[in-house]
Amino acid sequence: MTVMTRTARAVQLSARPDGFPELSDFRLVEQPVSDPAPGQVLVRNLYMSIDPGMLMQIGAYPGIPMPPFAVGATMFGDAIGEVVASADPDVPEGALVLHRLGWREYAMAEASAIRVVDPGAYPSPSSYLGFGLVAYAGLTAVAGLRAGDTVFISSAAGATGGMAGQIARLLGAGRVVGSAGSARKVRHVIDELGFDAAFDYHDAPLAEQLRAVAPDGIDVYFDNVGGAQLRAAIEVMNVGGRIALCGALTRQRSGGLPAVFPFEPRCATGYAAVGPPRVAELNERITRLTELRDRLLDRMPWLAPDAPTAQRDEIPSTDQE
């Protein structure tokens, strides 16, 4: 197939922000689009994911276990799209594919670096960009969730927290409780996502509220926040409890500065890092997460009929075809 569109738009980081990014820290550019070389495919992106962890890449915070976005370069991230031109026999034109070249209208990708997915698995292809992998990996590979565990999830109304609570239930947790930032979110977590209990972290001391919803203590804490909620979880945790450090919104809101509390995650993406990981360890981690991703995607039928409700907002382009 000869590609008719010869230029396409992409988003680049134009400046390294000090704290939360502003619109002026990004720029929209036109880039050339060519035909794929052997072993490549051209993908028209349909949806891309904007993840909280990207704040760390935009700010180039020290110690994060993924590459920061370079100033003046096109950004990247998970995306789902349709193959419009293929130079690889294993990936036909029209295939729906998952890849890591978001933030652009068209992505030129190596066929070996994409995953062909089932276009009929969900009402919208954007479901493939949910945070199920993060939640599943944190609960299983990191926290070692066991049947009957009491699980506490901070930021439970968020994209990752909401999935983590529902997956914990499907994996056999005995009780699932969460925190959220408003009464409306608390109702959503309980009524829509199926948590046993939840509380508004603004209402009273955190450890006091956590003990009220988990009187027998907690066995697993899925941490999306860090800071005071991490301290409360440690205080209420049972002997032998496990913590999956998935996120640190407290640090994100402080521009990447770690809290003074000695157990605060040193890496805002949720890994407690004491130094740069060795190459072999990093490769092993990537391989393990890839295996987990494949296992989760292969288990998509496992999500039905009790499929977790994905927390996402689909924001259409202003000039979609």
Side-chain angles (χ1 to χ4, degrees):
M1 171 182 174
T2 300
V3 179
M4 300 303 294
T5 303
R6 289 300 175 183
T7 63
R9 294 172 299 179
V11 177
Q12 296 182 343
L13 187 66
S14 60
R16 188 78 66 196
D18 181 14
F20 263 49
E22 303 288 342
L23 186 60
S24 58
D25 297 319
F26 307 90
R27 66 180 174 219
L28 189 65
V29 299
E30 291 280 343
Q31 294 182 329
V33 177
S34 60
D35 292 327
Q40 293 183 327
V41 296
L42 181 64
V43 181
R44 181 173 68 88
N45 282 335
L46 302 176
Y47 297 95
M48 71 177 191
S49 180
I50 302 178
D51 308 335
M54 288 179 175
L55 288 171
M56 308 298 108
Q57 295 173 280
I58 290 171
Y61 293 173
I64 59 175
M66 67 266 209
F69 296 134
V71 174
T74 300
M75 298 165 65
F76 53 87
D78 287 342
I80 191 91
E82 178 188 2
V83 175
V84 296
S86 176
D88 188 285
D90 294 328
V91 185
E93 294 179 12
L96 186 69
V97 295
L98 185 65
H99 61 90
R100 290 280 298 160
L101 295 173
W103 294 93
R104 66 203 78 191
E105 288 182 298
Y106 285 84
M108 187 70 72
E110 298 297 324
S112 59
I114 66 175
R115 181 184 177 97
V116 178
V117 296
D118 179 5
Y122 298 104
S124 170
S126 68
S127 296
Y128 279 107
L129 300 176
F131 290 84
L133 171 62
V134 177
Y136 182 78
L139 291 169
T140 58
V142 178
L145 176 66
R146 298 189 288 262
D149 279 346
T150 295
V151 179
F152 168 48
I153 298 166
S154 56
S155 191
T160 306
M163 290 294 288
Q166 296 172 89
I167 291 175
R169 173 70 73 210
L170 290 170
L171 292 175
R175 184 169 177 81
V176 180
V177 301
S179 65
S182 69
R184 180 184 61 82
K185 290 181 179 180
V186 167
R187 289 193 300 272
H188 170 73
V189 165
I190 296 172
D191 297 340
E192 302 297 328
L193 304 185
F195 282 58
D196 293 294
F199 60 87
D200 183 341
Y201 61 82
H202 298 104
D203 286 350
L206 290 166
E208 175 184 318
Q209 293 196 82
L210 183 54
R211 285 195 180 95
V213 297
D216 295 325
I218 61 173
D219 303 301
V220 170
Y221 174 39
F222 194 99
D223 184 18
N224 292 302
V225 175
Q229 297 202 49
L230 175 58
R231 294 194 285 272
I234 292 173
E235 186 174 337
V236 180
M237 183 158 285
N238 293 325
V239 174
R242 290 87 65 202
I243 300 174
L245 299 175
C246 177
L249 292 174
T250 299
R251 184 178 173 186
Q252 292 176 359
R253 290 168 180 155
S254 66
L257 298 175
V260 296
F261 180 62
F263 297 110
E264 178 73 10
R266 300 297 295 180
C267 169
T269 55
Y271 294 95
V274 295
R278 293 190 296 271
V279 172
E281 293 175 338
L282 182 58
N283 288 338
E284 181 181 355
R285 180 185 300 169
I286 292 171
T287 299
R288 191 178 185 192
L289 287 175
T290 300
E291 292 172 350
L292 281 168
R293 178 203 65 187
D294 292 343
R295 189 186 311 167
L296 179 63
L297 289 174
D298 290 341
R299 289 186 66 184
M300 286 304 179
W302 156 76
L303 300 178
D306 300 316
T309 301
Q311 305 299 294
R312 66 184 188 279
D313 294 312
E314 289 188 4
I315 304 175
S317 168
T318 56
D319 57 354
Q320 278 187 325
E321 297 178 355

